[in-house]
């Protein structure tokens, strides 16, 4: 995978398909302090994690995933498997295998290397990658984050240090940051 983050792999869509065509992708629903979370897993790790909105049924999202990866075989996770994943979710010890461009993979990998409770701006993340002029592109990559919490895009704030632009809502982003801050102080 990657020496600096052995639990993270970003593949191009073609490479992802080649690796997983005909391979079971498992899916299930788990609880979290931030709401219900749909997960999809390859044999190597989580490839999708999306929060549901209050009252939203998971079936519609699963159908979108099935259509996106129609070349795969889909199988539900058992209740015991979902419970085990739920227990590991906050610890972030789940491996991640996602689709993305090399640039997005670079951004997501760098973000996974930030400490829990640490925040930074889009510009700071772009500078960290040696591309300070690409702060907007960083924002676009974070908006395309396929795995909530496991790629911690909630840690990125605007240049003034304000909450901004979170795919799963600013209240959820605030709750994630508060949980990390409490954990860091404990």
């Amino acid at each position: 995978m990657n020496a600096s983050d052995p639990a993270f792999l970003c593949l191009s869509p073609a490479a992802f398909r080649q690796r997983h065509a005909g391979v079971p992708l498992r899916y299930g629903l788990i609880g979290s302090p931030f709401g219900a979370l749909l997960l999809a897993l390859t044999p190597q790790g989580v490839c999708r994690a999306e929060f549901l909105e209050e009252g939203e049924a998971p079936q519609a999202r699963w159908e979108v995933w099935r259509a996106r990866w129609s070349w795969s075989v889909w199988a539900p996770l058992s209740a015991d498997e979902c419970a085990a994943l739920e227990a590991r979710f906050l610890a972030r010890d789940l491996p991640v295998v996602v689709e993305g461009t090399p640039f997005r993979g670079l951004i997501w990998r760098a973000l996974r290397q930030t400490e829990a409770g640490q925040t930074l701006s889009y510009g700071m993340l772009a500078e960290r990658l040696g591309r300070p002029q690409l702060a907007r592109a960083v924002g676009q990559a974070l908006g395309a984050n396929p795995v909530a919490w496991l790629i911690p895009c909630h840690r990125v704030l605007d240049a003034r240090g304000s909450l901004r632009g979170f795919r799963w809502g600013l209240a959820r982003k605030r709750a994630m940051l508060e949980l990390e801050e409490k954990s860091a102080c404990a």
Side-chain angles (χ1 to χ4, degrees):
M1 291 192 182
N2 181 299
S4 61
D5 188 351
F8 178 79
L9 178 62
C10 184
L11 300 167
S12 71
F16 188 90
R17 179 180 182 154
Q18 182 179 18
R19 180 178 281 216
H20 298 104
V23 174
L25 290 182
R26 311 287 308 282
Y27 64 95
L29 181 65
I30 68 169
S32 83
F34 319 115
L37 184 76
L38 290 174
L39 293 174
L41 292 90
T42 73
Q44 294 82 33
V46 177
C47 62
R48 204 77 180 173
E50 295 182 11
F51 289 105
L52 290 177
E53 295 305 318
E54 187 76 29
E56 181 183 0
Q59 193 62 34
R61 295 264 188 110
W62 284 330
E63 293 303 324
V64 169
W65 293 355
R66 285 186 187 116
R68 179 183 179 134
W69 297 313
S70 60
W71 38 261
S72 187
V73 177
W74 286 90
L77 293 162
S78 70
D80 288 343
E81 289 170 314
C82 286
L85 288 165
E86 189 171 314
R88 294 176 63 192
F89 175 71
L90 284 180
R92 283 195 194 91
D93 68 346
L94 297 169
V96 172
V97 179
V98 293
E99 283 182 294
T101 65
F103 181 67
R104 286 183 175 176
L106 184 69
I107 292 166
W108 296 335
R109 184 175 292 111
L111 195 49
R112 282 177 52 93
Q113 294 169 353
T114 61
E115 295 294 321
Q118 176 186 359
T119 59
L120 64 166
S121 70
Y122 298 95
M124 289 168 64
L125 186 52
E127 283 180 32
R128 202 179 269 185
L129 298 170
R131 299 178 181 179
Q133 73 280 13
L134 296 179
R136 273 184 209 235
V138 165
Q140 291 170 344
L142 299 182
N145 176 2
V147 289
W149 182 257
L150 301 175
I151 296 174
C153 59
H154 62 276
R155 295 181 187 155
V156 181
L157 308 175
D158 71 14
R160 294 182 299 274
S162 300
L163 298 180
R164 182 172 170 197
F166 191 59
R167 180 175 168 189
W168 293 285
L170 294 182
R172 206 172 258 138
K173 182 173 187 166
R174 187 175 296 107
M176 290 174 167
L177 290 169
E178 287 172 0
L179 180 76
E180 287 187 340
E181 187 176 304
K182 286 178 189 173
S183 297
C185 293

